[in-house]
Amino acid sequence: MSFARKDYEFLKEIGLGPRNLGSYVNGVWQGNGPVVSSVNPADNQTIAEIAAPSIQDYEEGIQACVEATKIWMQIPAPKRGEFVRQIGDALRAKLHYLGRLLSLEVGKILAEGIGEVQEVIDMCDFAVGLSRQLNGSVIPSERPNHMMLEMWNPLGIVGVITAFNFPCAVLGWNACIALVCGNSVVWKGAPTTPLITIAMTKIIAGVLEKNNLPGAIFTAFCGGAEIGQAIAKDSRIPLVSFTGSSKVGLMVRQTVSQRYGKCLLELSGNNAIIIMDDADIELAVPSVLFAAVGTAGQRCTTCRRLLLHESIYRKVLDRLVDVYKQVKIGNPLEKGTLLGPLHTPASRENFVKGIEKIKSQGGKIAVGGSVIEREGNFVQPTIVEISPSADVVKEELFGPVLYVMKFQTLNEAIEINNSVPQGLSSSIFTRKPEIIFKWIGPQGSDCGIVNVNIPTNGAEIGGAFGGEKATGGGREAGSDSWKQYMRRSTCTINYGSELPLAQGINFG
Amino acid sequence: MSFARKDYEFLKEIGLGPRNLGSYVNGVWQGNGPVVSSVNPADNQTIAEIAAPSIQDYEEGIQACVEATKIWMQIPAPKRGEFVRQIGDALRAKLHYLGRLLSLEVGKILAEGIGEVQEVIDMCDFAVGLSRQLNGSVIPSERPNHMMLEMWNPLGIVGVITAFNFPCAVLGWNACIALVCGNSVVWKGAPTTPLITIAMTKIIAGVLEKNNLPGAIFTAFCGGAEIGQAIAKDSRIPLVSFTGSSKVGLMVRQTVSQRYGKCLLELSGNNAIIIMDDADIELAVPSVLFAAVGTAGQRCTTCRRLLLHESIYRKVLDRLVDVYKQVKIGNPLEKGTLLGPLHTPASRENFVKGIEKIKSQGGKIAVGGSVIEREGNFVQPTIVEISPSADVVKEELFGPVLYVMKFQTLNEAIEINNSVPQGLSSSIFTRKPEIIFKWIGPQGSDCGIVNVNIPTNGAEIGGAFGGEKATGGGREAGSDSWKQYMRRSTCTINYGSELPLAQGINFG
Amino acid sequence: MSFARKDYEFLKEIGLGPRNLGSYVNGVWQGNGPVVSSVNPADNQTIAEIAAPSIQDYEEGIQACVEATKIWMQIPAPKRGEFVRQIGDALRAKLHYLGRLLSLEVGKILAEGIGEVQEVIDMCDFAVGLSRQLNGSVIPSERPNHMMLEMWNPLGIVGVITAFNFPCAVLGWNACIALVCGNSVVWKGAPTTPLITIAMTKIIAGVLEKNNLPGAIFTAFCGGAEIGQAIAKDSRIPLVSFTGSSKVGLMVRQTVSQRYGKCLLELSGNNAIIIMDDADIELAVPSVLFAAVGTAGQRCTTCRRLLLHESIYRKVLDRLVDVYKQVKIGNPLEKGTLLGPLHTPASRENFVKGIEKIKSQGGKIAVGGSVIEREGNFVQPTIVEISPSADVVKEELFGPVLYVMKFQTLNEAIEINNSVPQGLSSSIFTRKPEIIFKWIGPQGSDCGIVNVNIPTNGAEIGGAFGGEKATGGGREAGSDSWKQYMRRSTCTINYGSELPLAQGINFG
Amino acid sequence: MSFARKDYEFLKEIGLGPRNLGSYVNGVWQGNGPVVSSVNPADNQTIAEIAAPSIQDYEEGIQACVEATKIWMQIPAPKRGEFVRQIGDALRAKLHYLGRLLSLEVGKILAEGIGEVQEVIDMCDFAVGLSRQLNGSVIPSERPNHMMLEMWNPLGIVGVITAFNFPCAVLGWNACIALVCGNSVVWKGAPTTPLITIAMTKIIAGVLEKNNLPGAIFTAFCGGAEIGQAIAKDSRIPLVSFTGSSKVGLMVRQTVSQRYGKCLLELSGNNAIIIMDDADIELAVPSVLFAAVGTAGQRCTTCRRLLLHESIYRKVLDRLVDVYKQVKIGNPLEKGTLLGPLHTPASRENFVKGIEKIKSQGGKIAVGGSVIEREGNFVQPTIVEISPSADVVKEELFGPVLYVMKFQTLNEAIEINNSVPQGLSSSIFTRKPEIIFKWIGPQGSDCGIVNVNIPTNGAEIGGAFGGEKATGGGREAGSDSWKQYMRRSTCTINYGSELPLAQGINFG
């Protein structure tokens, strides 16, 4: 059987066909739910079809996963690391095909598609090293003949619910760490990126099979809200890692809390770049462009607010308007394209509504502001001059819309930066140490990512990724993020024959 | 003015009188709410009266605290440590008076009262050292001329809501760390231990005043549920540390989550001791006694379930029944007393209801089971033989009631240990390394505290204190608990003049 | 040109021929010194010839290395990690050939040869992860507007001098870490294992070339003492990592110290296994066999002393004598062989002298004690009963000779264990926690490696490898060993406009 | 008996008299060597007399110390921390007397004397916290049923040999950490500061006695080179911490290495301040003054070289000459004095010789250059213009002599900074981030202390103190310096019943 378009044939190299089964359950591909389509956002035509999972598929998957987890958590961590290394190698072998698929199904430009898969590969390599460093502690006890240990043990099953905009990277952040930590993974990809869910899962499944490991260690569903809710409610899943909007994330958290489970949340951002009067404009302008227009403004780290010092306001704005006009819009797989389509028709509609709201709140369109009349969900990259007090700037409009505001002092700029409910990413452009260190200190940005002279987006995996406030507080990828995927026990072992009590208490 | 009883006169040494103002707001003692009484649980007579805070007192306090926090977070951490050191010294000077007050107002025996204050002193010393070690990281960046830092900054205000059973220690765990981390503290003590709230606050306030620091850095309320709810809802308080029941804790979490705030929860425990056939019985029996009867069974780490290997079941049970019969019950301030009263008449009533329920579910009283007919809230230390499948053993009955169960294999014992909703503390008595290491490993106890040859209670401050599942997942005191009192920023500083992107992406 | 023996032809797969150039200098293979031979210890016939380096080759190499280092240390650590990952993959592709070469040139059995190469591969994987975790610290400053950082920077050139017995693994421990840390490596392999030096270097050089990196980042010499001394004296080499005897190691240290350089020393071991009366003999006997006979007793971690509790002395000794008699001796490449030849005729001669000395000091041969009359340097695996006070047991006799001694109490056993000048490895066999924790505590073994129920040899790379006292104090491979390959700077940055002094000093 | 001068009477408050016993051995004060004098450097008159220790006193002391160590290392670390806390409190009570003594006997100004004692107090507080954080690690093992631990155990006895210029602080750095780590301390103070040695020891001894601990845990000698050599040679002392010149330090290291002992060296510095063209001169000038003239130039961190950018060379030099002329010279105890005497007549003579040598190598005296003709060892604060290639600038002249040099580029300045054998401290004054981060990075300063906009001296205890190259490589005080006072064991515990080998080796 062939794909509708000849240039989709490459998908066969990564295990995809025109019809695909949409869940990987106990090592078997199946799909007993409705048939759904994967759609190309550049033309809104079907790429391929998927037999989605039913809730019975889900139940079957989790049951198998519970059993597989018992085996997996007993395998020594460095051996688990070896499997993750093999996953990295398997991804490396398919890097370009996967990158191409990302570009096709999400709509992001090819360089970003490949970069995203590279990020998962980097995560694999990082996790391999980590597999020998999931260190607990030996802590001095105040009691003689007592040994105090802080142990880190696997949680069990980690549920991972990812969004359309980073369908690979976010899985990579979670799964690589979760797996070396000894957890099984249950993945629900975004409903609009089922082919990526399937392709990634096939690669991982291949490694498990080659090593005679139970496939149920990695269980995947191309499902929608029903599967997501099942995961949130499922007390067999101690940790749910969710990426999405603050609104949905809060619902997930409340549901998971109700059963005393844990959440790791990566929710909405509303990220500002501050440009000080002493900034290097040559560095700042392309940074803003990448941060605001990259991925069509559909990153959680997309720059949505640009705070310009009054003394350079006009100059920078003019430069940006100029640059925006030259942005090449079109097929994201084509060389030179910087701006592809929005992901869905609904996103495009949302853009239209957003622009109306902006105007109604006094926003002045400096450039862009319209949809593009062609097939696919294309819109213009847009700059809006607006007051920081407008309500609309407190919200995340998921598209290439940048709000520009003016400030007079550093303190004012920081106050505006911190004045929104979200707390993901933030950047400042300056060359003054006193500003840099204030910005990253107690009275600076209140975000989880605090940059200087680089855009709000484009994090490295070695650091912890995530944000504060309505962004949800989770941290993924590097640093000690792995601790969230394990449970900590404070263990005190008395190997003597007496019973001294802490704080010198004498009882009886 | 004098206290009702002459032996209460010592309270004057720690700043208490027969009438007291119940809130410390912006450095001033006030109380515009109703007058309430502190009651001695050994006789249910009033010790002293307190003018409770009104909600206006609360609002005034928080407003001042917001301002004071701006000052406090700018003081270098080692200087903040110096103030905490002085608090420790001030407590040391009043150790015995404070211990005595604890015994009087809570009802715990004097040794435990003094031990609890000692724990706060230990926390102060620990926090002083920590004030030079709240270390962030310098992480290698993949980009040339980039510096990646993980910074830890103060959160702002930390709300601390404590329970009656550890009115000092839990405040100490939270406040010592919160303060060196650069946060202000808003404390709501338990409504039934207002004198302790006032006495502790007076000592801390004294240090702040001596150093000309704003009193609002430490704000305290002898309030009830109304103040608690105000804290939970207050978006000026980014972190709420709550100690209490799982039920109330869940409500706090949902309320705080709603405003995207953070919680640190120390909730119910349902802690088991497992005694293996090879255990040292001489060590195990007094451990069980301390764990089950200490603090009248009103610790969150109290042993509530005793799992005995069938081969030593009868022997250990007989020994325990013997020992229980010799427990000296009475005035907790009297030398030799091991068991004081329950904290309130309601607790005593709860005990009565609990025993009825136990009986109705097949529990067999081996010893105790009745209230003691005298003034005060005294009950008998009680041992019950019961099946692990009885519903009642899944719940936390806050009193000196121990459920005894029989098992055949280690796996069965671990399964019973892990079969309750709570996950705070757990112990095993054995001398076999294969059992010890299994117990603390991935297939062992699922609790936050996992002990060997010591009781479930009596943690050292150097380790992290807290538990999993319905216990809430928070960790207090030692290890890296301090990180919960700070916000983490991943900072990338570009000090070069070019803009390389992570994952080698080429944009534009 | 062909090899003397047809079964040496496989060497061509790893870049070796009958004649080889013995130094890799500035990316070029050369050798202006005398021609030397690589000899098969199983028959003392030449395998191939090598043109050894002259001192001019050395000088040329170091000069190029100095320049290459300036480039290498500027490449971001995660990128350096990527090259090390590629080295790991290149080794993986040649694992079996390299293992075979190790077996051939060193004389160790094939399983150990392959295991040793695997260890280098493991080190590469570990180092890749480490390349994003060479973390410095952000330390709270006591001064306002000051930032205190602990930075880790590369040292420059690391000299690595390895011994014949682990010609790959020790290079791997050092080079993998040194390279990700940003250092160049100058390697001098053992004079008797030149083919391994060349084969390993070719693989690494291949990766450098493929990535257009200067070859001089890795500089290698098949040289002898002259090159070794040149490295020790060379002030362009801030760190010399030396593996060998305590005697030569001390000379290296004194030479390097004279120029205020640093040493990382892995010197002699004299490792004991203690078997307690409660030990699992089924576990202990094969452990002793592997530890004492493996690698023909030529590991630095070889068990040389066996301390038996008097109650099981005879039983264990008899079992060992039995087992020793069944050890298959012969060609190390042959399946089933457990004991190959000693590395050189000199080693064999040393064995003969050692046995004489042992006898003269009252040692009683329980089994073995003779050389084997056939081609190659074969000797019998030997067990000697001897007093712990004999002088000979304080020395390291590099061959398969095991001293057996009797003890009565744990304290006595620990005292004997600690009574030798060396402090590398040590093991105890017991099932009692009180013994285990004493053994690893302040009053237990004084060695760098302290095992329980496993042999003295066979370390994992995740831990730090090395020993105390005459073993030299260095630590290689895992844990924080990487810190030895970097220089630490305590950096304080004042970004304010005032000059507060530490300790509150007021000056002027 | 009275002191020669009435204003010495305060010494009685800290346990000193006109005649004193000069060693604290096994808890007893004694002195069987010659009688020596403590001399006031401000007038070269005797302050008091001391009966110095004989080598027999030494031997007696070490023997007792060996025994005491066995007890001390068994006391849990947090309890050891409690004793160190009490030492801190005892010092706090005598802070001003001790500071005054420091000023009197060393010759440093009072503010610095008090600051130095404060530093020891800070170290005590820091060490108390550390006593619950001397953490080992639990490292994931690659073998099932194996537990890998990294344990840190005490070394035994730590020998501490201190210099005259920081007779308290250096003891504090070493002793506080050594003690909480479980080591005993053997202290040899400088021969010219015996009263400080005695006074400090009395305070520590008082705490030991109060707690019924063996006095031999802290053993002290007011001795000279003979005692120093005895410590270096003594194989009962596994670690010798030495502070002094590079020349003597090297001898100590070679002696200690000969017996395979460890050294912790704090040797000569030759510290530069670089002032860039963009520097804040108002900050730089007082920094240079404090760094070059403070402690009469007798700190190991004293600034000895001032590198001025050519564009601000004349301006800064003129400002400094001006400031130098106003420095108040005189009795260090007098208010307002900034420059006291050199420590000994020999130091003064050394100054004279140094100035001659400087002149002979082309140095041009900008200000100062002469001794001051009055009683005591006073010299003028001196600035010399000189070429960076003059030999004399490679050496440490221990007095208030500052070499000023000119440079054109940052690279040139860094090259000059790094061109001396020593590598202790260094500073740069600039406001440019690209310079700051280069300076602290791989191609910046090669020193252990790398400052920005603060002087070379005045370190905080939270960081690690020490330097590279001829400065000896040791690190004291904060960060992970404590690890040098402990021995590390990599422990692998097999708690299963099988024997898997690392690297998957199959043996027999």
Side-chain angles (χ1 to χ4, degrees), chain B residues 3-70:
Chain B
F3 284 97
R5 281 172 50 175
K6 211 174 150 190
D7 53 357
Y8 294 169
E9 287 296 315
F10 79 93
L11 294 172
K12 292 185 175 165
E13 300 289 334
I14 40 177
L16 299 170
R19 298 263 161 78
N20 305 278
L21 294 168
S23 60
Y24 184 67
V25 157
N26 197 12
V28 174
W29 285 96
Q30 61 193 51
N32 296 302
V35 171
V36 298
S37 294
S38 165
V39 171
N40 181 344
D43 61 11
N44 288 323
Q45 302 298 312
T46 294
I47 306 167
E49 287 178 346
I50 296 93
S54 67
I55 202 72
Q56 285 73 22
D57 290 327
Y58 171 80
E59 182 56 29
E60 202 180 313
I62 300 299
Q63 277 177 24
C65 192
V66 165
E67 293 311 309
T69 307
K70 292 179 192 162

Side-chain angles (χ1 to χ4, degrees), chain A residues 141 254 460 464 480 488 490 496, chain B residues 141 254 460 464 480 488 490:
Chain A
S141 170
Q254 302 292 52
E460 297 186 21
D480 66 354
R488 177 203 311 244
T490 304
Chain B
S141 171
Q254 302 293 52
E460 297 186 19
D480 65 355
R488 176 204 313 245
T490 304

Side-chain angles (χ1 to χ4, degrees), chain B residues 334-483:
Chain B
E334 232 165 68
K335 216 182 147 172
T337 301
L338 284 192
L339 180 60
L342 290 181
H343 186 55
T344 60
S347 312
R348 189 173 178 264
E349 205 171 314
N350 212 34
F351 171 88
V352 173
K353 281 187 199 149
I355 294 291
E356 277 164 27
K357 199 165 168 189
I358 285 163
K359 287 179 181 164
S360 77
Q361 295 186 9
K364 195 183 132 205
I365 308 289
V367 67
S370 305
V371 301
I372 297 175
E373 295 304 337
R374 52 174 284 187
E375 63 176 0
N377 316 309
F378 292 90
V379 304
Q380 291 176 337
T382 300
I383 296 178
V384 173
E385 290 183 275
I386 197 162
S387 155
S389 62
D391 276 358
V392 79
V393 305
K394 313 285 183 197
E395 298 160 19
E396 186 188 38
L397 176 55
F398 225 59
V401 178
L402 180 68
Y403 301 119
V404 185
M405 304 157 195
K406 197 182 291 184
F407 69 88
Q408 293 179 303
T409 66
L410 175 62
N411 284 345
E412 191 193 344
I414 292 174
E415 206 177 303
I416 298 172
N417 181 76
N418 295 355
S419 68
V420 297
Q422 306 84 354
L424 180 52
S425 186
S426 56
S427 297
I428 203 166
F429 283 76
T430 183
R431 291 284 170 192
K432 294 189 181 158
E434 62 271 31
I435 295 181
I436 294 174
F437 290 110
K438 178 164 190 183
W439 173 242
I440 68 175
Q443 299 189 298
S445 167
D446 65 359
C447 292
I449 298 174
V450 182
N451 289 334
V452 179
N453 297 328
I454 60 167
T456 48
N457 55 341
E460 297 186 19
I461 61 154
F465 182 93
E468 297 299 308
K469 302 192 294 183
T471 304
R475 288 299 185 281
E476 292 179 350
S479 185
D480 65 355
S481 301
W482 63 268
K483 291 187 177 177

Side-chain angles (χ1 to χ4, degrees), chain A residues 391-443:
Chain A
D391 276 357
V392 78
V393 306
K394 312 285 182 198
E395 298 160 20
E396 186 188 35
L397 175 55
F398 225 60
V401 179
L402 180 68
Y403 301 119
V404 185
M405 303 158 196
K406 199 182 289 186
F407 70 87
Q408 292 179 303
T409 65
L410 174 64
N411 283 346
E412 190 192 345
I414 293 175
E415 207 177 301
I416 298 173
N417 180 74
N418 295 354
S419 69
V420 296
Q422 306 85 353
L424 181 51
S425 186
S426 56
S427 297
I428 203 166
F429 283 76
T430 183
R431 292 282 170 192
K432 294 190 179 156
E434 63 271 29
I435 295 181
I436 293 174
F437 290 111
K438 178 164 190 184
W439 173 242
I440 68 174
Q443 299 189 297

Side-chain angles (χ1 to χ4, degrees), chain C residues 272-289:
Chain C
I273 291 178
I274 299 171
I275 305 187
M276 298 301 296
D277 51 355
D278 73 306
D280 179 344
I281 304 295
E282 300 310 310
L283 208 57
V285 166
S287 295
V288 173
L289 180 71

Side-chain angles (χ1 to χ4, degrees), chain C residues 9 106 141 157 176 187 197 260 272 300 328 344 402 416 421 431 433 437 458 479 501:
Chain C
E9 287 298 312
V106 178
S141 170
I157 302 177
C176 294
W187 182 24
T197 306
Y260 295 107
C300 47
K328 190 179 158 198
T344 60
L402 179 68
I416 298 172
R431 291 284 170 191
F437 289 111
S479 184
L501 301 181

Side-chain angles (χ1 to χ4, degrees), chain C residues 141 254 460 464 480 488 490, chain D residues 141-142 254 460 464 480 488 490:
Chain C
S141 170
Q254 302 293 53
E460 296 186 22
D480 66 355
R488 177 204 312 245
T490 304
Chain D
S141 170
E142 70 189 52
Q254 302 292 52
E460 296 187 22
D480 66 354
R488 177 204 312 243
T490 305

Side-chain angles (χ1 to χ4, degrees), chain A residues 86-101:
Chain A
Q86 292 180 29
I87 293 170
D89 268 2
L91 289 168
R92 202 172 261 117
K94 301 290 185 185
L95 170 61
H96 284 87
Y97 294 123
L98 288 165
R100 202 165 179 76
L101 167 58

